[in-house]
Amino acid sequence: MRVAPVHSPVTPTTTGTYRVRSRSADGRLRCVDLDDGTVVDVAPTEALRPGYRFDGDLAWDDGDARVAAHEVTDRTLVAYADGVANLFEAALDTWEEARHENSGVNARPTYDQSGDPNGAVYTFAEQAGERDVYAELRDGTAPLEPLLERFRDGEAGFDAPNEVFVLRPATHGFVLVYLVAEKGGVLADTVRDTYGCPRSGDA
């Protein structure tokens, strides 16, 4: 009697450091490999939120990736809102300064009522017909990590985790990235309420 050999298939895995950039309507996570900038879509998991950075193993089943093991190293949150109104003064001033200097990118810190720094505003000029900056930031093809590193390594020295808001105004030709120092703080909550970016209770 001949016994057929038993084959034990091995699921290929990829180990790396990733930042979750966004979540699609079906729950899949758009992640960026921070070592080489590769963008990968990962099967839904409630353990990770847009903005989280994690070290982990991605298992590949028939070309689809899922998180096999992970350790979250930064619980920063990223939120997106398109077609927003009621822009705050610092955002408009930053944009006007960029237009005056004919610059595609501009930045400035923001301060609380006591004069202490609490965030940083970046404006990126839209390039109609050439680039969709908002989509690139949401989809992970435009870099976000350098902004976070500069934010944390700057004079104010903000610690992680933070909150990041990527906003596209309805009537202005730029995209706004607002980095807020304190996750879950008054400023972050105000931005979320103003632009309709609710935070998950366990995020």
Side-chain angles (χ1 to χ4, degrees), residues 80-201:
Y80 302 85
D82 196 359
V84 303
N86 301 317
L87 290 176
F88 50 97
E89 184 176 353
L92 292 172
D93 289 347
T94 304
W95 170 238
E96 287 300 325
E97 185 176 282
R99 292 181 62 190
H100 179 73
E101 297 177 355
N102 197 28
S103 172
V105 182
N106 196 26
R108 69 167 53 191
T110 61
Y111 302 90
D112 63 20
Q113 294 182 346
S114 300
D116 296 322
N118 61 5
V121 172
Y122 286 82
T123 58
F124 299 84
E126 285 275 47
Q127 301 176 24
E130 298 180 19
R131 293 181 58 192
D132 186 336
V133 178
Y134 178 85
E136 290 179 8
L137 286 164
R138 181 193 59 209
D139 296 343
T141 53
L144 181 61
E145 219 63 22
L147 301 186
L148 281 169
E149 291 174 359
R150 191 175 303 122
F151 185 62
R152 294 166 180 172
D153 295 339
E155 188 173 327
F158 297 118
D159 294 327
N162 315 115
E163 299 208 32
V164 180
F165 299 93
V166 180
L167 310 172
R168 176 154 57 188
T171 58
H172 296 79
F174 69 95
V175 173
L176 166 69
V177 178
Y178 192 13
L179 291 86
V180 175
E182 184 182 1
K183 178 183 177 181
V186 173
L187 176 58
D189 287 346
T190 299
V191 175
R192 286 186 177 276
D193 290 344
T194 301
Y195 301 115
C197 305
R199 182 191 299 109
S200 300

Side-chain angles (χ1 to χ4, degrees), residues 22-30 40-46 64-65:
S22 59
R23 186 190 300 273
S24 67
D26 64 0
R28 297 181 65 83
L29 301 174
R30 173 60 58 92
V40 57
D41 289 327
V42 178
T45 171
E46 288 301 316
D64 294 326

